[in-house]
Amino acid sequence: MDGNRRYARGKGKLVQEGHGDGYLALRRVLEICLRLNIRCVSVYAFAIDNFKRPQEEVTALMQLAESKLMELCSHGDLLQEYGVKLNVIGRRSLFPESVQAAVRKAEELTEGNNRSILNVCMPYSSRDEITTAVEDCIREVLAPANDFMSNDPIEEISEDTINSHLMSVKQGSPPLDILVRTSGVKRLSDFMLWQCCENTQLHFSNTYWPDFGLFDFVPIILEWQRSVWFRRQDVWLRDSHSRNR
């Protein structure tokens, strides 16, 4: 969700106002996703490196996170209306205690929802998620209670093992189909690097995140549906060719 600050500067607004408008865009796009029966949405809300930003901006973002988490999960609001389970993915211990408490409360309020998943990644980096998954795998195989076939327990760690220990996967997230970055910047910036390495469609939109909406998003979904249809046709043609040989 990139471009809040440039959007704010272009509109003559404070940076904090740009982030506030970015939250409204999140609500707008999330509702579009839920109406389209998209099962899982993950948003990059705050990077670990964002703590290096000016203290005034970081403080405003922490206050925004605390208040909007509770708003999203309150009775009758968006997540409850659509049965969405909220997960906060990242190194949450870096948050102030008040934000940590809001995270715990928000997750508790939605833990019984099972129609869709919203992963709010904060404070997050993909390298940290992968590192944590590898560390968890190592601790697991070296635990005294484990009895493995191999003489070297490290050999028990595979790509699938690491994948199953990723924070997002542990919360029930399916494979990543589409990754969208707004604001015209064409880089992944340490977001879901493992998840998007295979069969993920990447889209880079020139629209700043606070302006992003239906007319930006629907063409992306249609392009993904088109690519899925062609992949299925390709599989059908290959299978048909094999049977006729």
Side-chain angles (χ1 to χ4, degrees):
M1 301 186 292
D2 195 26
N4 291 347
R5 294 188 294 175
R6 280 169 287 162
Y7 161 89
R9 286 194 291 267
K11 299 283 188 180
K13 296 184 175 184
L14 298 173
V15 170
Q16 295 92 317
E17 293 178 288
H19 290 309
D21 290 347
Y23 167 73
L24 297 177
L26 170 59
R27 288 185 61 97
R28 182 170 64 245
V29 175
L30 179 59
E31 184 158 19
I32 294 169
C33 291
L34 296 173
R35 286 178 175 270
L36 292 172
N37 292 320
I38 293 173
R39 181 190 162 202
C40 182
V41 177
S42 300
V43 296
Y44 200 178
F46 191 85
I48 291 175
D49 280 351
N50 287 161
F51 282 113
K52 298 175 183 177
R53 290 183 177 181
Q55 187 58 49
E56 182 182 7
E57 182 181 353
V58 173
T59 299
L61 284 167
M62 294 299 100
Q63 293 171 346
L64 184 69
E66 184 177 348
S67 63
K68 299 308 181 183
L69 276 172
M70 299 312 301
E71 178 183 312
L72 269 176
C73 301
S74 61
H75 179 70
D77 208 272
L78 199 59
L79 301 193
Q80 298 296 356
E81 180 183 350
Y82 287 94
V84 181
K85 183 178 185 291
L86 173 75
N87 304 312
V88 174
I89 305 292
R91 197 169 287 275
R92 60 175 75 184
S93 60
L94 297 176
F95 277 144
E97 179 52 42
S98 60
V99 179
Q100 292 185 46
V103 167
R104 290 191 294 269
K105 183 66 174 176
E107 290 184 329
E108 288 171 7
L109 287 170
T110 64
E111 63 184 355
N113 296 343
N114 56 17
R115 287 169 55 191
S116 298
I117 295 170
L118 172 62
N119 294 319
V120 179
C121 300
M122 64 177 194
Y124 175 89
S125 80
S126 186
R127 286 173 294 176
D128 181 68
E129 183 182 25
I130 295 168
T131 301
T132 301
V134 172
E135 290 172 345
D136 289 347
C137 289
I138 293 171
R139 278 193 289 268
E140 189 174 280
V141 300
L142 295 180
N146 288 329
D147 183 19
F148 295 105
M149 298 291 293
S150 172
N151 292 326
D152 183 0
I154 299 300
E155 292 182 3
E156 302 292 333
I157 300 176
S158 66
E159 180 180 321
D160 289 340
T161 311
I162 296 171
N163 184 74
S164 68
H165 284 77
L166 294 172
M167 298 177 200
S168 54
V169 175
K170 287 166 68 175
Q171 295 294 343
S173 301
L176 182 61
D177 291 317
I178 304 171
L179 189 147
V180 181
R181 179 168 185 161
T182 58
S183 85
V185 176
K186 296 182 179 179
R187 60 176 184 267
L188 299 180
S189 296
D190 213 356
F191 184 51
M192 294 202 163
L193 303 180
W194 180 288
Q195 293 91 330
C196 75
C197 69
E198 185 177 8
N199 295 326
T200 299
Q201 192 162 296
L202 305 180
H203 286 271
F204 299 97
S205 169
N206 290 325
T207 306
Y208 290 146
W209 174 248
D211 287 327
F212 193 83
L214 181 67
F215 292 106
D216 302 286
F217 189 59
V218 167
I220 293 172
I221 296 297
L222 292 176
E223 175 63 24
W224 177 79
Q225 290 179 325
R226 179 175 177 272
S227 68
V228 169
W229 186 86
F230 276 113
R231 284 201 301 269
R232 288 174 179 170
Q233 293 301 307
D234 181 54
V235 169
W236 182 86
L237 288 171
R238 282 189 280 113
D239 289 347
S240 177
H241 178 70
S242 298
R243 287 195 297 271
N244 292 331
R245 290 182 64 179

